[in-house]
Amino acid sequence: MNIWNEPMETLEGDELAALQSERLDRMLSRIWEASTPYRKRMEEAGLAPSDVRGIEDLASLPFTRKQDFKDNYPLGMLAVPIDKVVRLHASSGTTGSRTMVGYTRADIDTWAELVARFATAAGVVASDVAQISFTYGLFTGGFGLHYGLEKVGATVVPASGGNTDLQLTLMRDLKTSVLVATPTYALHLAEAGLARGFDFKESSLRVGLFGAEPWSEGIRERIEAATGMIATDNYGLSEVVGPGVSGECELKRGMHVADDHFIAEVIDPSTGELLNEGEQGELVLTTLTREAVPVVRFRTGDLTVLERGPCECGRRNSRMAKVLGRTDDMLIIRGVNVYPNQVEKALLEVDGIAPHFQIVLDRAGELDRLEIQVEATEGVFSDDTWVMRKFAEKVEGHLKATLNVRADVHLVEPNTLERGAGKAKRIVDRREV
Ligand code: DLL
C-alpha cells in the first residue's frame, strides 16, 4: 500500500512527541504576538508561552470554541496580516452563523499535502480520474479535495454538487474512478444511477472519498453494494483546515490523523477532563503548522474515540473512530440520550427501510415527541394504510428495543425525502416555534 509521506505518517513515540513539542512551542510564541483573542485568553488564564514546555503541558491551556470565531467575525481570528492571506473559506453553517477562516500560501500547500495523504491512503493514484461532487464555494470540501487530488496527480473533474444527470454522464464518459462527495449524495447518485440503468459494476468507479457529515456503517455497506467501489471516510472542519485532518486507509480501521500537523485529544464534553485512549468523548484539536488561523485546543463538538498504535497499512499515526455525531446534536427523548447516527444505524437494521430519514422533534405537553419520517423501499411501500401501520409498528418496536427510544415512525414513499449535494439535514426541531 502506498504511503504519501512515509517519514511523517510513520512517526511515533518520542520522535513524534519531540516534533509536536517543537512545533507547538513555535506556534504559541508566534500567536502570543500576533493574535489578540488568543493572547487575551492566555492572560485571563494567567499563562504565558514560557509556561508551556512541550505537549505534556498542553492540557493546561484554555480551550478555543466556535463561539470565539463568531465573536471575532469576520476576520478577528487571523494571526497574520491580510496581505499574507490568499484565500478565505467559511464553515457550512450547520450550527448557526458562519465562521470565516483564512489561508496563507503555505497553508494552501499544507492543505493539499494533507488531502494527498488521505487520498493515497484510500488507494487513489495518479492514473485516477477523480470527480469532485462537493459544492465548490465557501465550503472547504470542493477546493480542499481539488488541490489535494491534483497534487496526487489524479485527473480532477470539478463537477461540483447537484445535477444528477450530468454527474452520471461525466462518470460514464470520463470513466471516473474516484468519487468525492458527502455520503448521502453518493448514496443518492448510486440510487439515481441504478434507476436510470447505469451499470456501476461495469463502470470504472473504484474508490469513494466521503466525508463532511456523520454516516453509519449501514450507509457504507449500501454504497459499496450498489456501486462496487470501496467507500472511505475522511474528516475535517473549517476552523482547523477543512478536509485533511484525518482519513481512512483501504483497511477502514479508523481515520489516520496527521499527527505532525495536529494534536488530537479527547475530553469529557461536560467536565473538559482529558480522557484516555479508547474512551469516547469530544475531539479537541490543536494546529501545529497553520499560519493564518492557528487554533489551540479547539473544541470540535464531534464525538469520537482515539486509538494509537500501528495499522497494518504501515502507518503509525493515531486513528480516530467514525464520528458518532456532534455533542449539540444529541437528542434527549424522555430522558434517553440518542444521536441521529444511532437512529440511522437502528433504522437500517430493519429490512425494507431505505437510508433516507428525517427526525422531527415536537413537544406534546411537557414532553418531547420524536417523529421519524423514513422512506420504505420500493418493494415494501404500499398504499394499504393498515399494512404500512403494521410495518411502522415493527420499526418502532426495533427502535425501542435497540435504543430504548419511543418514536412515532411515519413511512413515506421511496424517493420523497429531499436529497442534496450538501450535508444532510437530519433533524427538524419544531419545539421552539
Ligand atoms: O465539512 C470539512 C470537510 C469537507 C470534511 C469535506 C470532509 C470532507 P465544515 O463545513 O466546517 O467542514 O463542517 C465540519 O462537519 O465538525 C463534523 O461535525 C462534520 N464532519 C466533517 N467530516 C465528518 C466525517 C467540513 N467524516 C463539521 N464524519 C465537523 C462525521 C464529519 N462528521
Side-chain angles (χ1 to χ4, degrees), residues 403-423:
L403 300 176
N404 195 22
V405 157
R406 191 127 55 88
D408 294 328
V409 170
H410 183 70
L411 293 162
V412 298
E413 272 186 63
N415 294 313
T416 47
L417 293 177
E418 196 188 315
R419 286 122 162 94
K423 304 185 188 222

Side-chain angles (χ1 to χ4, degrees), residues 91-92 134 139-141 145 210-215 233-239 242-243 255 300 302 323 326 423:
S91 80
S92 38
F134 277 140
F139 175 51
T140 52
L145 268 292
F210 304 134
E213 63 184 7
W215 51 309
D233 193 4
N234 68 83
Y235 167 88
L237 62 167
S238 319
E239 293 86 350
M255 296 185 276
T300 64
D302 295 316
V323 173
R326 297 188 52 79
K423 304 185 188 222

Side-chain angles (χ1 to χ4, degrees), residues 55-70:
I55 50 169
E56 60 283 3
D57 296 327
L58 185 65
S60 65
L61 295 177
F63 293 117
T64 309
R65 292 180 163 80
K66 213 177 175 70
Q67 190 60 40
D68 293 311
F69 280 81
K70 293 182 179 164

